[in-house]
């Protein structure tokens, strides 16, 4: 049986049991828009980043909607005994930051998408520094991959991970249980960029469209109006 982008069944079952047991114990779920997540084929999930806890919470959302979540993880994690082996076998992708091999990460991600994987990206590249926790301006790597492969980009916004583990803190606030809100929207329409050169203005505008879709989903979750312009790292509101 073909299992594109998924680990061996025994390892998948082992990881899922451990992670889901922890998340059921310490979090509640408010999940919306699940019909927008395609069950097969390569797909990019583009999402906002609020906390070091949200990768696990988003993985739960993705897995329970029929897809194995593939992340780009720091390459150093792959060198840790046992943990590195598990991460590698779980089909996660190493990120080579600050080296001449950085482009390899995007190549690995592109290969995974072409094989039918569900790859989760944080276009902001880091946890948001916006004082009100709105998404910041995105980097162009996700747009480049989407336009190069033609896979759909599903905008997913979430809220609540920052209550479990606020940015800058090392110890999670496990009790009382926190609610993780997540909403998936329809695929971002990038059709106007098809056939255009993947550089400069094209990538910036496609990235802005992706971030606008994520921000719109987050505004719906929060029931608030988002800022007119995204926060840029280093500025102040």
């Amino acid at each position: 049986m073909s299992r594109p982008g998924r680990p061996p069944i025994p390892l998948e079952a082992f990881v899922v049991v451990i992670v889901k047991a922890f998340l059921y114990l310490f979090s509640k779920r408010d999940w919306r828009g699940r019909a927008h997540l395609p069950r097969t084929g390569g797909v990019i999930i583009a999402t906002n980043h609020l906390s070091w806890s949200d990768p696990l919470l988003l993985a739960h959302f993705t897995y329970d909607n029929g897809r194995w979540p593939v992340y780009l993880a720091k390459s150093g994690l792959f060198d840790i005994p046992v943990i590195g082996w598990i991460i590698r076998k779980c089909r996660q992708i190493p990120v080579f930051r600050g080296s001449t091999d950085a482009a390899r990460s995007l190549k690995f991600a592109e290969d995974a998408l072409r094989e039918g994987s569900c790859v989760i990206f944080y276009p902001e590249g880091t946890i948001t520094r916006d004082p009100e926790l709105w998404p910041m301006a995105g980097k162009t790597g996700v747009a480049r991959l989407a336009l190069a492969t033609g896979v759909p980009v599903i905008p997913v916004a979430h809220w609540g991970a920052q209550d479990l583990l606020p940015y800058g803190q090392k110890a999670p606030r496990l009790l009382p249980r926190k609610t993780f809100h997540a909403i998936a929207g329809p695929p971002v329409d990038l059709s106007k960029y098809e056939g255009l050169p993947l550089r400069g203005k094209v990538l910036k505008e496609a990235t802005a469209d992706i971030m606008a879709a994520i921000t719109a989903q987050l505004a719906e979750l929060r029931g608030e109006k988002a800022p007119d312009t995204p926060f840029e790292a280093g500025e102040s509101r």
Side-chain angles (χ1 to χ4, degrees):
M1 181 177 65
S2 176
R3 289 170 52 83
R6 301 185 81 112
I9 292 176
L11 180 60
E12 178 177 319
F14 172 75
V15 170
V16 168
V17 166
I18 291 177
V19 173
K20 289 182 72 170
F22 174 83
L23 294 177
Y24 275 124
L25 187 61
F26 295 111
S27 67
K28 296 179 284 186
R29 290 151 298 286
D30 170 30
W31 293 346
R32 313 176 200 174
R34 300 164 70 171
H36 292 302
L37 294 176
R39 294 301 184 107
T40 60
V43 61
I44 290 172
I45 291 181
T47 186
N48 58 315
H49 202 355
L50 295 172
S51 162
W52 294 121
S53 68
D54 58 51
L56 278 181
L57 295 161
L58 279 167
H60 190 190
F61 174 75
T62 305
Y63 183 82
D64 272 23
N65 285 287
R67 301 305 302 260
W68 179 258
V70 176
Y71 282 99
L72 279 72
K74 293 181 179 179
S75 59
L77 294 174
F78 291 75
D79 298 327
I80 300 174
V82 181
I83 292 177
W85 180 86
I86 292 175
I87 293 173
R88 189 174 293 106
K89 288 295 184 179
C90 283
R91 304 296 300 273
Q92 307 307 297
I93 298 170
V95 175
F96 303 93
R97 291 181 176 174
S99 74
T100 56
D101 292 329
R104 292 170 58 194
S105 302
L106 289 181
K107 181 60 171 63
F108 291 151
E110 181 176 342
D111 292 343
L113 289 168
R114 294 189 186 280
E115 291 172 0
S117 295
C118 172
V119 184
I120 300 176
F121 287 94
Y122 294 108
E124 297 162 275
T126 187
I127 293 173
T128 184
R129 301 299 194 268
D130 183 287
E132 300 300 323
L133 302 183
W134 292 102
M136 299 188 296
K139 302 182 185 300
T140 59
V142 175
R144 181 184 296 276
L145 282 173
L147 295 174
T149 60
V151 304
V153 179
I154 306 299
V156 173
H158 62 85
W159 189 249
Q162 76 280 1
D163 296 327
L164 179 62
L165 182 61
Y167 174 69
Q169 296 190 14
K170 296 181 179 180
R173 301 171 178 175
L174 298 179
L175 296 174
R177 294 168 70 205
K178 309 301 188 291
T179 299
F180 180 66
H181 308 268
I183 182 170
V188 182
D189 183 4
L190 300 176
S191 59
K192 62 183 177 183
Y193 306 110
E194 291 178 4
L196 298 179
L198 302 183
R199 58 177 182 266
K201 182 180 179 181
V202 169
L203 292 178
K204 289 181 180 179
E205 290 184 357
T207 300
D209 288 350
I210 293 170
M211 295 309 302
I214 297 170
T215 302
Q217 296 296 318
L218 184 57
E220 181 177 339
L221 264 187
R222 294 173 58 168
E224 302 174 23
K225 183 182 182 301
D228 294 330
T229 57
F231 186 81
E232 296 276 359
E235 73 172 6
S236 60
R237 285 279 187 210

